[in-house]
């Protein structure tokens, strides 16, 4: 089975349908599947439920899919950087489910690992616990959270090979590995597709079994907060 | 008198001990990194997937793949390791992080913390705050003692939606330092320079015991 596709548009062909759930990797704008997000927008698919830690910014990342109103619901932990998101949410046009960041990460991990639910201390005694099963273990109270799977996961890695093995770079890893595993179909975009055998097998972060399609693409890698220090004069 | 932001951060930095793994929140907590005693060895965790967070980069070192939880560009150190968000919160939830320094809107005398939403205003989300307070061994809050209009933020009960219940161990404000022990309530253990107990009482709704060593 050939996993390498020529571009983002071709890689999404036949994988999208209205009302589907999409997981989109990244933290802020770091490690997002820039090209696949644009290609997803261009398919015209609607009523998406998008699982993503953040919602992009107005004119980049998932902001593109918000501009075109293709998203019906977001499952996220923090959405503070997107004005259009705020406008649609306050106007009642967009559903929003907040998950604590670690709970969101673990829900994706569990989903990909075939675990339908898990107990966590996070959120006990808060609105997050409302309506959820509570259970005591060793004298402490935990709540039941469920695993998440997606119809399609779009992830970004640094390098990949024709088998779909992926290596991420620095903090651009974030949610990508769990979302890759939790997708019924997973498409990865990488900066470089390298020859088979050139990735160190001991250093592969996402084994190719989780990746059905892969493309090589160019990335803008926009920075949200460019913070620098002054070089001390020698 | 009272402490300014940097003095509050410096006081919080004194809670860091040799060998600690520490997560610093956004705002004043971030400033704590500038005040860590050079004689101790501390590793900073960034919940987006990094242990061993370094300072901001020089202009020619900026790397879009290397950011902290506040989405700021940062650098790595020789000790640095990277991992996924699931691994990151496994170490947080699993009790492996020694200390977290966070900001707050309200803290109750029982150690309840509210720092993520104000009803009626746009809610940005809790990010990793609920996971941190539920999992980290010791939670230190750094906050202004009262609102700009003088409304107390240390209360009998939080009025805002909670981030966690009975999770705060220490509160550092511009007026002083409070210890909160589970089931025992709040204790004033330190006063900021030029502040007296009556100044603190005037701006505090929470009940607290006074245990200031002069």
């Amino acid at each position: 089975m050939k996993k390498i596709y020529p571009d983002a548009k071709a890689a999404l062909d036949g994988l999208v349908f209205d009302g589907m759930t999409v997981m989109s990797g990244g933290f802020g704008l770091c490690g997002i599947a820039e090209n696949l997000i644009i290609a997803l927008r261009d398919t015209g698919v609607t009523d998406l439920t998008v699982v993503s830690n953040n919602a992009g910014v107005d004119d980049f990342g998932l902001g593109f899919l918000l501009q075109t109103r293709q998203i019906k619901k977001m499952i996220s932990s923090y959405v503070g950087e997107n004005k259009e998101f705020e406008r649609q949410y306050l106007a009642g046009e967009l559903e929003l489910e907040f998950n604590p960041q670690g709970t969101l990460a673990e829900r994706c991990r569990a989903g990909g690992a075939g675990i339908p639910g898990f107990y966590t201390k996070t959120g006990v005694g808060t609105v997050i616990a409302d309506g959820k099963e509570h259970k005591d273990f060793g004298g402490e109270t935990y709540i039941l959270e469920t695993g998440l799977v997606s119809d399609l996961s779009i992830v970004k890695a640094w390098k990949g090979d024709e088998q779909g093995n992926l290596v991420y770079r620095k903090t651009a890893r974030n949610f990508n590995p769990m979302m890759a595993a939790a997708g019924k179909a997973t498409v990865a975009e990488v900066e470089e597709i390298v020859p088979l055998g050139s990735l160190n097998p001991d250093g592969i972060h996402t084994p190719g079994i989780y990746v059905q399609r892969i493309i090589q693409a160019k990335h803008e890698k926009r920075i949200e907060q460019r913070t620098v220090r002054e070089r001390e004069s020698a | 008198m009272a402490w300014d932001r940097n003095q509050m951060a410096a006081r919080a930095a004194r809670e860091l001990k040799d060998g600690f793994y520490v997560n610093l929140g956004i705002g004043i907590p971030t400033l704590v990194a500038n005040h860590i005693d050079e004689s101790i060895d501390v590793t900073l965790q960034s919940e987006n997937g990094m242990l061993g967070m370094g300072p901001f980069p020089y202009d020619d070192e900026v790397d879009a793949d290397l950011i902290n939880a506040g989405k700021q560009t940062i650098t790595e150190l020789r000790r640095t390791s990277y991992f996924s968000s699931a691994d990151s919160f496994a170490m947080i939830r699993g009790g492996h992080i020694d200390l977290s320094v966070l900001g707050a809107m309200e803290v109750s005398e029982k150690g309840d913390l509210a720092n993520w939403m104000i009803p009626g205003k746009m809610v940005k989300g809790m990010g990793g705050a609920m996971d941190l307070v539920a999992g980290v061994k010791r939670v230190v809050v750094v906050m202004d003692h009262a609102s700009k209009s003088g409304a107390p933020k240390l209360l009998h009960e939080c009025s805002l939606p909670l981030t966690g219940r009975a999770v705060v161990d220490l509160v550092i404000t511009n007026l002083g330092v409070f210890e909160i022990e589970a089931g025992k309530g709040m204790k004033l253990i330190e006063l900021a320079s030029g502040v007296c107990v009556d100044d603190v009482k005037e701006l505090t709704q929470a009940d607290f015991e006074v245990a200031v060593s002069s």
Side-chain angles (χ1 to χ4, degrees):
Chain A
M1 192 180 109
K2 202 169 148 16
K3 292 188 178 180
I4 299 178
Y5 281 68
D7 55 38
K9 182 172 185 285
L12 292 185
D13 188 44
L15 297 182
V16 304
F17 57 91
D18 292 347
M20 73 191 300
T21 296
V22 176
M23 286 184 182
S24 182
F27 181 91
L29 300 180
C30 182
I32 59 171
E34 305 178 12
N35 296 278
L36 288 164
I37 288 170
I38 291 169
L40 186 62
R41 176 194 66 186
D42 294 344
T43 64
V45 67
T46 59
D47 290 324
L48 297 173
T49 293
V50 176
V51 182
S52 173
N53 188 56
N54 312 93
V57 295
D58 282 317
D59 61 345
F60 201 63
L62 291 175
F64 286 134
L65 287 165
L66 287 162
Q67 278 172 12
T68 50
R69 314 276 189 93
Q70 284 165 279
I71 300 178
K72 183 184 68 178
K73 179 180 178 180
M74 291 284 316
I75 301 178
S76 303
S77 88
Y78 190 83
V79 295
E81 282 95 8
N82 194 310
K83 292 260 185 311
E84 175 60 16
F85 184 102
E86 183 172 340
R87 195 201 62 71
Q88 287 182 27
Y89 176 68
L90 293 174
E93 299 165 3
L94 183 69
E95 290 173 55
L96 172 59
E97 178 186 319
F98 276 126
N99 283 193
Q101 195 174 140
T103 295
L104 183 63
E106 190 64 13
R107 291 185 74 192
C108 296
R109 196 199 70 79
I115 293 172
F118 59 94
Y119 291 97
T120 177
K121 235 178 347 185
T122 302
V124 171
T126 77
V127 292
I128 292 302
D130 289 351
K132 289 176 182 160
E133 184 197 325
H134 287 58
K135 193 174 168 97
D136 287 2
F137 294 89
E140 287 223 58
T141 304
Y142 296 75
I143 53 172
L144 178 66
E145 296 280 3
T146 56
L148 279 174
V149 293
S150 73
D151 297 305
L152 170 69
S153 288
I154 51 177
V155 301
K156 153 76 177 38
W158 180 36
K159 293 179 179 181
D161 65 21
E162 65 179 59
Q163 286 297 310
N165 293 313
L166 303 179
V167 173
Y168 307 94
R169 186 170 175 275
K170 302 185 189 281
T171 55
R173 189 182 318 184
N174 54 65
F175 282 81
N176 284 296
M178 297 79 74
M179 289 184 168
K184 287 177 196 158
T186 292
V187 182
E189 60 177 71
V190 299
E191 293 173 46
E192 190 185 0
I193 294 180
V194 299
L196 210 54
S198 62
L199 296 175
N200 176 0
D202 269 332
I204 287 167
H205 300 135
T206 291
I209 190 170
Y210 298 123
V211 178
Q212 281 68 52
R213 299 181 181 184
I214 184 169
I215 59 164
Q216 178 175 304
K218 291 214 181 313
H219 295 87
E220 176 185 332
K221 294 203 205 176
R222 195 181 292 188
I223 292 171
E224 271 179 79
Q225 307 275 349
R226 187 189 174 92
T227 43
V228 296
R229 63 183 154 141
E230 294 295 317
R231 207 176 284 277
E232 303 81 5
S233 47
Chain B
M1 290 300 287
W3 285 328
D4 63 20
R5 287 161 58 91
N6 270 304
Q7 288 168 314
M8 288 158 71
R11 177 59 190 82
R14 281 171 43 207
E15 299 301 312
L16 278 54
K17 308 291 180 224
D18 191 43
F20 266 22
Y21 292 91
V22 176
N23 183 293
L24 301 177
I26 295 164
I28 302 176
T30 307
L31 300 176
V32 172
N34 303 333
H35 298 278
I36 301 172
D37 188 336
E38 281 176 19
S39 69
I40 64 169
D41 186 80
V42 166
T43 302
L44 298 180
Q45 198 243 21
S46 189
E47 67 263 27
N48 53 320
M50 179 185 200
L51 269 173
M53 183 167 45
F56 292 151
Y58 295 120
D59 196 57
D60 55 6
E61 289 177 340
V62 169
D63 184 339
D65 290 336
L66 184 41
I67 63 168
N68 64 18
K71 283 111 184 171
Q72 298 171 311
T73 49
I74 47 162
T75 53
E76 64 184 23
L77 304 170
R78 286 195 301 179
R79 71 179 57 186
T80 295
S81 58
Y82 298 108
F83 33 83
S84 72
S85 301
D87 287 329
S88 181
F89 283 94
M91 64 183 75
I92 289 168
R93 202 187 301 104
H96 305 280
I97 305 289
D98 296 289
L99 185 103
S100 180
V101 185
L102 296 167
M105 298 169 185
E106 294 174 348
V107 174
S108 83
E109 61 200 33
K110 298 172 202 73
D112 298 347
L113 169 69
N115 74 349
W116 78 283
M117 79 173 282
I118 300 173
K121 289 206 179 168
M122 178 59 196
V123 184
K124 294 183 171 185
M126 72 290 284
M130 285 190 182
D131 310 276
L132 283 161
V133 300
V136 170
K137 286 180 199 159
R138 184 168 159 80
V139 173
V140 173
V141 162
V142 180
M143 66 191 290
D144 285 330
H145 198 90
S147 74
K148 288 193 181 78
S149 60
K153 294 178 161 196
L154 297 177
L155 307 170
H156 297 307
E157 296 281 351
C158 293
S159 65
L160 297 169
L162 296 183
T163 308
R165 207 177 277 281
V167 292
V168 177
D169 298 290
L170 195 77
V171 183
I172 297 166
T173 76
N174 49 320
L175 301 186
V177 182
F178 296 81
E179 207 174 69
I180 303 174
E181 223 177 310
K184 289 194 181 162
M186 206 174 237
K187 197 194 287 181
L188 176 66
I189 59 167
E190 234 175 283
L191 288 164
S193 47
V195 174
C196 68
V197 173
D198 285 340
D199 297 335
V200 176
K201 283 192 170 154
E202 198 178 306
L203 289 169
T204 309
Q205 184 201 71
D207 290 327
F208 62 91
E209 188 186 322
V210 179
V212 183
S213 49
S214 46

